[in-house]
Amino acid sequence: AQTVTQSQPEMSVQEAETVTLSCTYDTSENNYYLFWYKQPPSRQMILVIRQEAYKQQNATENRFSVNFQKAAKSFSLKISDSQLGDTAMYFCAFYSGGSNYKLTFGKGTLLTVNP
Amino acid sequence: DVKVTQSSRYLVKRTGEKVFLECVQDMDHENMFWYRQDPGLGLRLIYFSYDVKMKEKGDIPEGYSVSREKKERFSLILESASTNQTSMYLCASSLLAGYSNQPQHFGDGTRLSIL
């Protein structure tokens, strides 16, 4: 069974600085998909960024980028130029594709951006 | 944009009651999911459905059932509510698994309290 581990329950960063959230996973699959979701306080969970395991290039979405290390089974999220609106719970998620529809989530990292 | 609508943001029920949580999506997605979110535990899958009248158990189906009579609607049912079912419940939808990197889209969540 796949597992996803987020080792940092809480983190904080000053506005405009850069922060990296860690995620490791365990799988025997070769092709799979990884996601970072953001859940702001009392608001809807939204997708931040996604990565296909077969792609060597790290995904980037504006201020959000990932460092995908397939051999190490690591998928960290880097947030550059942190903004107050980035304060949220961040979840790393794994999806093996095919007929298994299940997303496996980590336990989340609560990120607080301080002014 | 995909819209996933959960019928209630907050709900208070009594032990032993039969509770219905409703979810509707407007993007003709095949897959729909019910998760439970608890602090320190992340999101755990209760049930999912990949087609009308089809359902599969997730990681924690005990004490829950689901119904999907129409493609756009997926209901979670607590047959006899208990206090340990007090939680945040999230509904999500996505395209077919064949589109394997399609993300799940989430509703706002229902915070359910069982007294």
Side-chain angles (χ1 to χ4, degrees), chain B residues 24-74:
Chain B
V24 176
Q25 50 94 4
D26 66 355
M27 283 301 291
D28 204 34
H29 283 173
E30 289 80 7
N31 298 333
M32 295 189 75
F33 307 83
W34 275 107
Y35 293 92
R36 173 175 171 160
Q37 182 179 6
D38 298 289
L41 297 179
L43 275 73
R44 294 179 291 169
L45 182 65
I46 304 172
Y47 268 97
F48 68 95
S49 169
Y50 52 89
D51 201 352
V52 174
K53 297 190 185 296
M54 305 304 289
K55 61 185 179 184
E56 293 280 347
K57 292 181 179 179
D59 297 319
I60 52 165
E62 296 78 17
Y64 303 95
S65 63
V66 290
S67 173
R68 194 166 181 199
E69 297 295 321
K70 293 184 178 181
K71 191 175 185 180
E72 68 271 18
R73 185 180 297 271
F74 191 36

Side-chain angles (χ1 to χ4, degrees), chain A residues 32-33 35 37 39 41-47 50-52 54-55 89 91 95-108, chain B residues 2 4 9-10 31 33 35 37 40-43 45 48 50 58-59 88 90 95-108:
Chain A
Y32 48 87
Y33 306 85
F35 305 87
Y37 280 88
Q39 186 181 39
S42 301
R43 291 179 61 189
Q44 190 179 56
M45 187 170 316
I46 57 173
L47 178 70
R50 72 184 96 174
Q51 174 81 41
E52 291 88 348
Y54 62 86
K55 289 186 177 180
M89 183 72 83
F91 292 97
Y95 174 56
S96 61
S99 61
N100 179 359
Y101 302 91
K102 181 182 170 182
L103 261 183
T104 301
F105 285 86
K107 294 182 178 180
Chain B
V2 176
V4 179
R9 288 298 301 273
Y10 301 94
N31 298 333
F33 307 83
Y35 293 92
Q37 182 179 6
L41 297 179
L43 275 73
L45 182 65
F48 68 95
Y50 52 89
D59 297 319
M88 170 71 86
L90 295 176
L95 285 170
L96 263 180
Y99 300 89
S100 48
N101 66 345
Q102 290 299 319
Q104 294 184 13
H105 299 266
F106 286 83
D108 287 338

Side-chain angles (χ1 to χ4, degrees), chain A residues 1-12:
Chain A
Q2 290 86 7
T3 59
V4 177
T5 302
Q6 293 179 248
S7 58
Q8 306 147 315
E10 295 187 35
M11 294 188 72
S12 63

